[in-house]
């Protein structure tokens, strides 16, 4: 019954064990997980677009092969995450519907445009770097299927981050105009990447409860700080400047201080007013509609197989 289920649930959470799909769980826990995991899945699927945009224009065959593999990895991440969300009782059609109608959120970062090749470097280094900082602790999330999906995703993200760093490194070792292209791109992506961690803790309505349930292990601001601390030496190695005049080492705190972010820009992007919100959703919707015949054919084939097996 519910009382026994609840007691066992709390015991799983306090003992740092895993909650599995067949375990009793509070409705609000289920709802939070579906929200977070489906938004995460949508982010991976929409996240294919800013880089997919550069596959035909990558500067060499090797770069093209790497970029194509990376975009495919993102499709895979989306699929594992949809599967993890499905174990909570929400079907994939419902989640797709929420994405293409704009009812569901996906990461703010994918509403920025990618006008230069250096943006492929910045996405790998900064966006995937932020994703790793946020996602490594999710490998210890209390919900088993989510935590297990994150293990493989993090391994692949760490490769993605290195390939982005290496693109920027190649540009920084290149001509003056290539160095300028890398710096200009980092200037555009730095602040939006910091905003990926979500609003400041004081304005994060979900954090407290998600941390009590051990879905989130660290707060948005804690992870943002960790990310900035990680970036500074990497920026030095690359020879790029991080575009924040307030960025400086704080001996007392043992961390880098950094400037206030423009949260009005973040909320504006969430409202749908970013550079690429409309393009991203339209492209996704067209792909979904264009793929309808594939889903129909797969369904007809499955029905036929089932009928044959029943004979
Ligand atoms: N982009 C879009 N929406 C965001 C972002 C962001 N960067 N950050 C926060 N939000 C939304 C939240 O989803 C929430 O809205 P909702 O209640 O309608 O769902 C609202 O802003 C308030 O934020 P929080 O209370 O802080 O929300 P939450 O506790 O869910 O924390 C976070 C947000 C940190 C993004 C969390 O959901 C998370 O860790 N998600 C998994 C990681 C993920 O989704 N990564 C996607 C980008 S990385 C990639 O795909 C490469």
């Amino acid at each position: 019954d519910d009382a026994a289920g609840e007691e066992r649930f709390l015991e799983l959470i306090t003992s740092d064990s895993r909650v599995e799909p067949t375990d009793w769980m509070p409705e609000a826990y289920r709802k939070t997980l579906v929200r977070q995991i489906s938004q995460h899945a949508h982010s991976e699927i929409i996240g294919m677009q800013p880089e997919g945009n550069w596959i035909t224009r990558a500067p060499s065959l090797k770069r093209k092969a790497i970029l194509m593999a990376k975009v495919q990895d993102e499709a895979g991440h989306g699929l594992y995450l949809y599967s993890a969300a499905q174990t909570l009782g929400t079907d994939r059609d419902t989640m797709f519907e929420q994405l293409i109608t704009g009812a569901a959120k996906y990461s703010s970062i994918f509403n920025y445009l990618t006008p230069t090749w250096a943006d492929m470097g910045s996405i790998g280094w900064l966006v995937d770097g932020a994703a790793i900082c946020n996602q490594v602790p999710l490998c210890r999330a209390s919900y088993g299927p989510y935590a297990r999906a994150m293990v493989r995703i993090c391994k692949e993200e760490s490769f993605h981050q290195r390939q982005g760093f290496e693109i920027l490194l190649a540009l920084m070792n290149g001509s003056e105009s290539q160095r300028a292209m890398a710096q200009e791109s980092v200037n555009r992506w730095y602040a939006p990447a910091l905003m990926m961690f979500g609003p400041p803790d004081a304005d994060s309505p979900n954090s407290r409860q998600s941390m009590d349930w051990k879905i989130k292990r660290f707060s948005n601001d804690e992870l943002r700080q960790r990310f900035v601390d990680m970036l500074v030496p990497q920026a030095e190695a690359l020879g790029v400047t991080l575009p924040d005049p307030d960025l400086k080492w704080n001996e007392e705190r043992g961390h880098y201080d950094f400037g206030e972010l423009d949260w009005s820009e973040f909320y504006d992007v969430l409202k749908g007013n970013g550079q690429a919100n409309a393009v991203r959703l339209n492209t996704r919707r067209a792909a979904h509609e264009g793929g309808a015949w594939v889903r129909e054919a797969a369904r007809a084939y499955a029905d036929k197989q089932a009928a044959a097996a029943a004979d």
Side-chain angles (χ1 to χ4, degrees):
D1 63 3
D2 276 13
E6 182 162 13
E7 194 176 322
R8 182 168 150 68
F9 171 81
L10 290 173
E11 194 184 294
L12 289 174
I13 300 291
T14 33
S15 63
D16 258 339
S17 302
R18 292 274 159 82
V19 179
E20 296 298 337
T22 49
D23 291 328
W24 185 93
M25 62 187 87
E27 268 320 296
Y29 176 80
R30 186 184 298 277
K31 213 172 139 202
T32 287
L33 282 168
V34 171
R35 176 183 64 79
Q36 177 166 328
I37 301 172
S38 66
Q39 285 178 6
H40 193 166
H42 299 330
S43 304
E44 299 282 357
I45 296 299
I46 295 286
M48 295 165 74
Q49 291 184 38
E51 290 169 297
N53 173 36
W54 272 94
I55 290 175
T56 57
R57 293 176 290 158
S60 69
L61 182 60
K62 186 176 140 201
R63 292 288 185 200
K64 188 181 287 208
I66 294 170
L67 191 60
M68 208 157 15
K70 181 187 184 244
V71 172
Q72 282 179 346
D73 285 350
E74 283 154 11
H77 298 174
L79 298 181
Y80 320 142
L81 287 164
Y82 283 127
S83 297
Q86 278 175 287
T87 64
L88 293 154
T90 300
D91 64 49
R92 202 171 290 206
D93 286 344
T94 306
M95 293 186 272
F96 280 168
E97 191 65 22
Q98 289 167 342
L99 174 60
I100 61 174
T101 56
K105 291 194 173 77
Y106 58 85
S107 184
S108 50
I109 196 74
F110 300 119
N111 294 308
Y112 291 84
L113 294 171
T114 47
T116 73
W117 168 251
D119 293 338
M120 300 304 98
S122 295
I123 290 186
W125 180 44
L126 297 170
V127 175
D128 298 325
I132 296 170
C133 268
N134 165 268
Q135 291 173 21
V136 165
L138 291 174
C139 297
R140 295 191 294 118
S142 57
Y143 187 58
Y146 189 31
R148 288 188 290 272
M150 291 319 301
V151 174
R152 175 162 173 184
I153 293 177
C154 284
K155 286 188 180 154
E156 293 179 348
E157 291 293 357
S158 107
F159 158 75
H160 295 172
Q161 198 220 4
R162 283 168 211 201
Q163 70 86 39
F165 183 90
E166 201 269 336
I167 288 175
L168 291 177
L169 190 63
L171 290 172
M172 291 306 289
N173 286 332
S175 66
E176 199 169 314
S177 65
Q178 286 171 321
R179 280 194 293 279
M181 188 202 277
Q183 181 64 59
E184 187 276 336
S185 173
V186 169
N187 291 349
R188 278 183 288 111
W189 289 91
Y190 174 74
L194 261 58
M195 292 183 199
M196 286 172 67
F197 295 93
D201 294 349
D203 302 318
S204 163
N206 302 303
S207 279
R208 190 64 263 155
Q209 182 61 77
S210 289
M211 286 173 76
D212 285 350
W213 277 329
K214 298 184 180 168
I215 297 170
K216 286 168 86 161
R217 296 282 178 165
F218 300 96
S219 76
N220 299 356
D221 285 330
E222 283 169 336
L223 292 174
R224 195 171 2 256
Q225 179 72 62
R226 188 180 282 196
F227 181 54
V228 171
D229 290 347
M230 184 190 92
L231 279 186
V232 173
Q234 295 182 0
E236 275 163 18
L238 278 175
V240 297
T241 306
L242 296 174
D244 177 0
D246 297 326
L247 185 66
K248 64 169 191 299
W249 178 250
N250 182 323
E251 191 62 49
E252 215 169 286
R253 294 200 310 121
H255 290 290
Y256 284 91
D257 288 337
F258 55 97
E260 229 357 86
L261 293 161
D262 178 5
W263 291 103
S264 65
E265 173 180 316
F266 172 79
Y267 289 112
D268 219 34
V269 171
L270 257 56
K271 268 192 257 150
N273 303 326
Q275 295 169 347
N277 296 63
V279 176
R280 301 291 179 245
L281 271 192
N282 286 340
T283 303
R284 185 64 236 148
R285 208 174 289 130
H288 191 70
E289 283 160 11
W293 69 272
V294 179
R295 292 189 293 278
E296 262 162 48
R299 218 167 280 135
Y301 180 74
D303 289 349
K304 232 172 170 176
Q305 294 295 100
D311 274 348

